[in-house]
Amino acid sequence: MTSMYYDKDADLSVLQPKKIAVLGYGSQGHAHALNLSDSGMNVRVADRKGSKAWEQAKNDGLELGTVDEVSQWADVIMVLLPDQYQKEVYDSQIAPHLKPGDTLAFAHGFNIHFKQIVPPSEVNVMMIAPKGPGHLVRRTYQDGKGVPCLFAVHQDPSGETKALALAWARGIGGTRAGVIETTFKDETETDLFGEQAVLCGGSAELIKAGFETLVEAGYPPELAYFECLHEMKLIVDLYYEGGLSLMNYSVSDTAEYGGMTRGSRIITDETRAEMKKMLEDVQSGAFAREWIEENAQGQPRMQQLRAATRSHGIEEVGARLRPMMSWLNRPEEPREDEE
Ligand code: NAD
Ligand code: MG
């Protein structure tokens, strides 16, 4: 069993005297900054001047500056910028201000593990990665609870990096729920594999293939949408609350039997072999190189693939059906930073 750390294992007083910078006031950034500030820490935040996030941070009453200004001031710098911009911002606005004994922190291991960012050896490097989106990290904290986190130490010249990581996890509420120690390598590789094979890639392809099979067989696309996409949430909520067994318990016996006898015809030996190859691409750095190159080119393939998804039949049906669902309040437009 991996060991778990709780409030009693984390000492906030190691972080208390530090000047803390939270760079990026987005999903994670606003939650880390507000929770740490409410925990009595000395926090300043940075974002792009004039962005929505900038205005939000000002309205939330936090001390605010540019990445340059806040990095220069700080001893502990948490980088909560989008992963693909971190290297550029690090090179131009963070690295010039790093002093021996400073601490650089991340919520995802990609840029350190794949050596996009190589901090000086006299700087501590740590990760605190909540296993949930920022709004949940903020809301649970305000409710006196927390979201479980992973933490890791990449380099520790000062000898206090683990204590700082645990203190950070406590300051954002994570140790109330429990935090697990990992490495940058394991966090990065499992995260990339999970999103590719299961969460984003695997589930989207499964939904599309099911929808297309029904529509090609002549069934109304509306029915295909409900069956293959809409109801996915009901099933996933059951997994989330009680695992595979709760799902089996909650659906009809017919669904349970049909699923258990047929599911393995979808995820075949061939699929499993492909999963292993995807994992190898993650481990070897081949995926990371491809993604870094794609960004360097201005994301041409990404734009094409996004456009193809938007024009898929299931998106057209969904856009017509979702207004029937009064309980949905999610705007149809992509968010500011998604384009
Ligand atoms: P986000 O897109 O929600 O927020 C990023 C913020 O950075 C935005 O406010 C944006 O305005 C700002 N920004 C972008 N470019 C900037 C620049 N050049 N200078 C200053 N500010 C700039 O990002 P996020 O989802 O909070 O992700 C941040 C980090 O947290 C990533 O490393 C991500 O992998 C990690 N993470 C995210 C989640 C999640 O659920 N969202 C969970 C765990 C870890
Ligand atoms: Mg993830």
Short mmCIF file of all heavy atoms in Angstrom, two decimals, residues 23-29 46-48 51 53 67 79-83 85-86 89 93 107-108 129-134 335-337, ligand 1:
data_model
loop_
_atom_site.label_atom_id
_atom_site.label_comp_id
_atom_site.label_asym_id
_atom_site.label_seq_id
_atom_site.Cartn_x
_atom_site.Cartn_y
_atom_site.Cartn_z
N LEU A 23 1.18 31.38 -10.06
CA LEU A 23 1.20 31.92 -11.43
C LEU A 23 0.07 31.28 -12.24
O LEU A 23 0.06 30.07 -12.45
CB LEU A 23 2.54 31.63 -12.10
CG LEU A 23 3.79 32.03 -11.32
CD1 LEU A 23 5.05 31.74 -12.16
CD2 LEU A 23 3.74 33.50 -10.91
N GLY A 24 -0.86 32.11 -12.70
CA GLY A 24 -2.04 31.61 -13.42
C GLY A 24 -3.21 31.55 -12.46
O GLY A 24 -3.14 30.86 -11.43
N TYR A 25 -4.27 32.30 -12.78
CA TYR A 25 -5.44 32.36 -11.89
C TYR A 25 -6.63 31.70 -12.57
O TYR A 25 -7.70 32.25 -12.70
CB TYR A 25 -5.74 33.82 -11.52
CG TYR A 25 -6.58 33.99 -10.29
CD1 TYR A 25 -6.06 33.66 -9.04
CD2 TYR A 25 -7.90 34.44 -10.37
CE1 TYR A 25 -6.84 33.81 -7.90
CE2 TYR A 25 -8.67 34.60 -9.23
CZ TYR A 25 -8.14 34.28 -8.00
OH TYR A 25 -8.90 34.42 -6.86
N GLY A 26 -6.37 30.48 -13.09
CA GLY A 26 -7.43 29.73 -13.78
C GLY A 26 -8.06 28.73 -12.83
O GLY A 26 -8.23 29.00 -11.65
N SER A 27 -8.39 27.56 -13.38
CA SER A 27 -9.07 26.52 -12.62
C SER A 27 -8.31 26.19 -11.34
O SER A 27 -8.81 26.37 -10.22
CB SER A 27 -9.23 25.28 -13.49
OG SER A 27 -9.72 24.20 -12.73
N GLN A 28 -7.06 25.74 -11.46
CA GLN A 28 -6.27 25.40 -10.28
C GLN A 28 -5.79 26.65 -9.54
O GLN A 28 -5.82 26.69 -8.30
CB GLN A 28 -5.05 24.55 -10.67
CG GLN A 28 -5.40 23.13 -11.08
CD GLN A 28 -5.98 22.30 -9.94
OE1 GLN A 28 -5.55 22.39 -8.80
NE2 GLN A 28 -6.98 21.51 -10.26
N GLY A 29 -5.34 27.65 -10.28
CA GLY A 29 -4.70 28.80 -9.67
C GLY A 29 -5.59 29.52 -8.66
O GLY A 29 -5.15 29.83 -7.55
N ALA A 46 -0.40 35.89 -10.17
CA ALA A 46 -0.06 36.52 -11.45
C ALA A 46 -0.95 35.94 -12.53
O ALA A 46 -1.33 34.77 -12.48
CB ALA A 46 1.40 36.25 -11.80
N ASP A 47 -1.28 36.77 -13.48
CA ASP A 47 -1.96 36.30 -14.69
C ASP A 47 -1.63 37.31 -15.78
O ASP A 47 -0.77 38.19 -15.59
CB ASP A 47 -3.48 36.17 -14.47
CG ASP A 47 -4.09 35.08 -15.37
OD1 ASP A 47 -4.25 35.33 -16.59
OD2 ASP A 47 -4.37 33.98 -14.85
N ARG A 48 -2.27 37.17 -16.95
CA ARG A 48 -2.02 38.14 -18.01
C ARG A 48 -2.81 39.40 -17.70
O ARG A 48 -4.01 39.33 -17.40
CB ARG A 48 -2.47 37.57 -19.36
CG ARG A 48 -1.56 36.51 -19.90
CD ARG A 48 -2.17 35.84 -21.10
NE ARG A 48 -3.44 35.21 -20.71
CZ ARG A 48 -4.16 34.45 -21.53
NH1 ARG A 48 -3.77 34.23 -22.76
NH2 ARG A 48 -5.30 33.90 -21.11
N SER A 51 -6.68 40.17 -18.57
CA SER A 51 -7.49 38.97 -18.84
C SER A 51 -8.64 38.91 -17.84
O SER A 51 -8.65 39.61 -16.84
CB SER A 51 -6.62 37.71 -18.72
OG SER A 51 -6.19 37.54 -17.38
N ALA A 53 -9.21 36.52 -15.90
CA ALA A 53 -8.66 35.99 -14.64
C ALA A 53 -8.02 37.12 -13.82
O ALA A 53 -8.13 37.14 -12.59
CB ALA A 53 -7.63 34.91 -14.95
N VAL A 67 3.71 37.96 -14.16
CA VAL A 67 4.54 36.81 -13.80
C VAL A 67 5.93 37.28 -13.39
O VAL A 67 6.50 36.83 -12.39
CB VAL A 67 4.61 35.80 -14.96
CG1 VAL A 67 5.62 34.70 -14.66
CG2 VAL A 67 3.22 35.20 -15.23
N VAL A 79 3.57 27.02 -10.52
CA VAL A 79 3.28 27.30 -11.93
C VAL A 79 1.95 26.64 -12.31
O VAL A 79 1.89 25.43 -12.52
CB VAL A 79 4.42 26.78 -12.83
CG1 VAL A 79 4.17 27.18 -14.28
CG2 VAL A 79 5.77 27.33 -12.36
N LEU A 80 0.88 27.45 -12.38
CA LEU A 80 -0.44 26.92 -12.73
C LEU A 80 -0.94 27.55 -14.02
O LEU A 80 -2.10 27.93 -14.16
CB LEU A 80 -1.41 27.12 -11.56
CG LEU A 80 -1.03 26.32 -10.31
CD1 LEU A 80 -1.94 26.64 -9.14
CD2 LEU A 80 -1.03 24.81 -10.60
N LEU A 81 0.00 27.67 -14.96
CA LEU A 81 -0.30 28.14 -16.31
C LEU A 81 -0.64 26.91 -17.15
O LEU A 81 -0.29 25.79 -16.78
CB LEU A 81 0.95 28.81 -16.90
CG LEU A 81 1.56 29.92 -16.05
CD1 LEU A 81 2.96 30.25 -16.53
CD2 LEU A 81 0.66 31.14 -16.09
N PRO A 82 -1.31 27.09 -18.31
CA PRO A 82 -1.54 25.94 -19.19
C PRO A 82 -0.20 25.27 -19.51
O PRO A 82 0.79 25.95 -19.76
CB PRO A 82 -2.16 26.57 -20.44
CG PRO A 82 -2.75 27.86 -19.98
CD PRO A 82 -1.86 28.34 -18.88
N ASP A 83 -0.17 23.93 -19.50
CA ASP A 83 1.09 23.20 -19.63
C ASP A 83 1.89 23.60 -20.87
O ASP A 83 3.11 23.67 -20.82
CB ASP A 83 0.82 21.69 -19.63
CG ASP A 83 0.24 21.24 -18.30
OD1 ASP A 83 0.94 21.38 -17.28
OD2 ASP A 83 -0.92 20.80 -18.27
N TYR A 85 2.23 26.41 -22.34
CA TYR A 85 2.89 27.73 -22.32
C TYR A 85 3.94 27.84 -21.22
O TYR A 85 4.62 28.85 -21.09
CB TYR A 85 1.87 28.86 -22.11
CG TYR A 85 0.75 28.87 -23.12
CD1 TYR A 85 -0.57 29.10 -22.71
CD2 TYR A 85 0.99 28.66 -24.48
CE1 TYR A 85 -1.61 29.11 -23.63
CE2 TYR A 85 -0.05 28.66 -25.40
CZ TYR A 85 -1.34 28.88 -24.97
OH TYR A 85 -2.37 28.88 -25.87
N GLN A 86 4.04 26.80 -20.39
CA GLN A 86 4.90 26.92 -19.20
C GLN A 86 6.37 27.13 -19.55
O GLN A 86 7.05 27.94 -18.92
CB GLN A 86 4.74 25.69 -18.31
CG GLN A 86 3.38 25.65 -17.60
CD GLN A 86 3.24 24.49 -16.65
OE1 GLN A 86 4.18 23.73 -16.43
NE2 GLN A 86 2.05 24.32 -16.09
N VAL A 89 7.05 30.81 -20.72
CA VAL A 89 6.93 31.76 -19.61
C VAL A 89 8.07 31.53 -18.60
O VAL A 89 8.64 32.48 -18.06
CB VAL A 89 5.56 31.64 -18.92
CG1 VAL A 89 5.45 32.56 -17.72
CG2 VAL A 89 4.43 31.93 -19.92
N GLN A 93 10.28 34.70 -17.96
CA GLN A 93 9.82 35.50 -16.82
C GLN A 93 10.00 34.86 -15.45
O GLN A 93 9.76 35.52 -14.44
CB GLN A 93 8.33 35.84 -16.99
CG GLN A 93 8.03 36.63 -18.25
CD GLN A 93 6.54 36.94 -18.35
OE1 GLN A 93 6.00 37.62 -17.49
NE2 GLN A 93 5.88 36.42 -19.37
N ALA A 107 1.58 21.44 -10.70
CA ALA A 107 0.43 20.57 -10.38
C ALA A 107 0.33 19.43 -11.39
O ALA A 107 -0.64 18.67 -11.38
CB ALA A 107 -0.86 21.38 -10.36
N HIS A 108 1.30 19.37 -12.28
CA HIS A 108 1.36 18.28 -13.26
C HIS A 108 2.83 18.16 -13.67
O HIS A 108 3.52 19.18 -13.78
CB HIS A 108 0.46 18.60 -14.44
CG HIS A 108 0.49 17.58 -15.56
ND1 HIS A 108 0.54 16.23 -15.32
CD2 HIS A 108 0.45 17.74 -16.90
CE1 HIS A 108 0.55 15.59 -16.50
NE2 HIS A 108 0.50 16.48 -17.48
N ALA A 129 -0.54 17.92 -6.82
CA ALA A 129 -1.55 17.78 -7.87
C ALA A 129 -2.87 17.30 -7.28
O ALA A 129 -3.01 16.12 -6.97
CB ALA A 129 -1.06 16.80 -8.93
N PRO A 130 -3.83 18.21 -7.11
CA PRO A 130 -5.14 17.78 -6.63
C PRO A 130 -5.79 16.85 -7.66
O PRO A 130 -5.66 17.08 -8.85
CB PRO A 130 -5.94 19.09 -6.53
CG PRO A 130 -4.92 20.18 -6.47
CD PRO A 130 -3.76 19.67 -7.30
N LYS A 131 -6.47 15.83 -7.18
CA LYS A 131 -7.15 14.90 -8.09
C LYS A 131 -8.58 15.39 -8.31
O LYS A 131 -9.54 14.64 -8.14
CB LYS A 131 -7.11 13.48 -7.52
CG LYS A 131 -5.74 12.87 -7.50
CD LYS A 131 -5.32 12.27 -8.84
CE LYS A 131 -4.65 13.14 -9.81
NZ LYS A 131 -4.38 12.59 -11.13
N GLY A 132 -8.70 16.64 -8.70
CA GLY A 132 -10.02 17.20 -8.99
C GLY A 132 -9.84 18.59 -9.56
O GLY A 132 -8.78 19.19 -9.41
N PRO A 133 -10.87 19.10 -10.22
CA PRO A 133 -10.79 20.45 -10.80
C PRO A 133 -10.76 21.52 -9.73
O PRO A 133 -11.15 21.28 -8.57
CB PRO A 133 -12.07 20.55 -11.64
CG PRO A 133 -13.02 19.58 -11.04
CD PRO A 133 -12.18 18.47 -10.45
N GLY A 134 -10.29 22.71 -10.11
CA GLY A 134 -10.10 23.79 -9.15
C GLY A 134 -11.35 24.18 -8.37
O GLY A 134 -11.28 24.42 -7.16
N ARG A 335 -14.87 28.06 -23.70
CA ARG A 335 -14.37 29.08 -22.78
C ARG A 335 -13.29 29.92 -23.45
O ARG A 335 -12.74 29.56 -24.47
CB ARG A 335 -13.81 28.43 -21.51
CG ARG A 335 -14.86 27.93 -20.56
CD ARG A 335 -14.23 27.32 -19.33
NE ARG A 335 -13.47 26.14 -19.65
CZ ARG A 335 -12.20 25.95 -19.31
NH1 ARG A 335 -11.54 26.88 -18.66
NH2 ARG A 335 -11.57 24.85 -19.63
N GLU A 336 -12.96 31.02 -22.80
CA GLU A 336 -12.01 32.01 -23.32
C GLU A 336 -10.71 31.36 -23.81
O GLU A 336 -10.21 31.67 -24.88
CB GLU A 336 -11.69 33.03 -22.22
CG GLU A 336 -10.79 34.15 -22.69
CD GLU A 336 -10.26 34.98 -21.51
OE1 GLU A 336 -10.15 34.45 -20.39
OE2 GLU A 336 -9.97 36.15 -21.73
N ASP A 337 -10.18 30.43 -22.99
CA ASP A 337 -8.84 29.93 -23.27
C ASP A 337 -8.84 28.67 -24.12
O ASP A 337 -7.81 28.07 -24.35
CB ASP A 337 -8.11 29.65 -21.96
CG ASP A 337 -7.71 30.95 -21.29
OD1 ASP A 337 -7.21 31.82 -22.01
OD2 ASP A 337 -7.93 31.08 -20.08
P1 NAD B 1 -6.34 27.13 -16.80
O1 NAD B 1 -6.30 27.17 -18.27
O2 NAD B 1 -7.65 26.96 -16.10
O3 NAD B 1 -5.68 28.47 -16.21
C1 NAD B 1 -4.47 28.98 -16.68
C2 NAD B 1 -4.38 30.46 -16.33
O4 NAD B 1 -3.12 30.92 -16.81
C3 NAD B 1 -5.46 31.32 -16.98
O5 NAD B 1 -6.05 32.15 -16.00
C4 NAD B 1 -4.67 32.15 -18.01
O6 NAD B 1 -5.19 33.47 -18.17
C5 NAD B 1 -3.30 32.20 -17.40
N1 NAD B 1 -2.24 32.38 -18.40
C6 NAD B 1 -2.10 31.79 -19.61
N2 NAD B 1 -0.99 32.23 -20.24
C7 NAD B 1 -0.41 33.10 -19.39
C8 NAD B 1 0.77 33.91 -19.47
N3 NAD B 1 1.55 33.86 -20.56
N4 NAD B 1 1.07 34.69 -18.41
C9 NAD B 1 0.27 34.73 -17.33
N5 NAD B 1 -0.85 34.01 -17.19
C10 NAD B 1 -1.19 33.21 -18.22
O7 NAD B 1 -5.30 25.98 -16.34
P2 NAD B 1 -5.51 24.83 -15.23
O8 NAD B 1 -6.49 23.81 -15.73
O9 NAD B 1 -5.74 25.47 -13.90
O10 NAD B 1 -4.07 24.13 -15.27
C11 NAD B 1 -2.96 24.65 -14.59
C12 NAD B 1 -2.04 23.50 -14.21
O11 NAD B 1 -2.74 22.63 -13.30
C13 NAD B 1 -1.60 22.62 -15.36
O12 NAD B 1 -0.28 22.20 -15.12
C14 NAD B 1 -2.55 21.42 -15.29
O13 NAD B 1 -2.01 20.25 -15.85
C15 NAD B 1 -2.69 21.30 -13.79
N6 NAD B 1 -3.88 20.58 -13.30
C16 NAD B 1 -5.13 20.93 -13.73
C17 NAD B 1 -6.25 20.28 -13.23
C18 NAD B 1 -7.65 20.67 -13.65
O14 NAD B 1 -8.58 19.97 -13.28
N7 NAD B 1 -7.87 21.76 -14.38
C19 NAD B 1 -6.10 19.27 -12.25
C20 NAD B 1 -4.82 18.97 -11.80
C21 NAD B 1 -3.72 19.64 -12.34
#
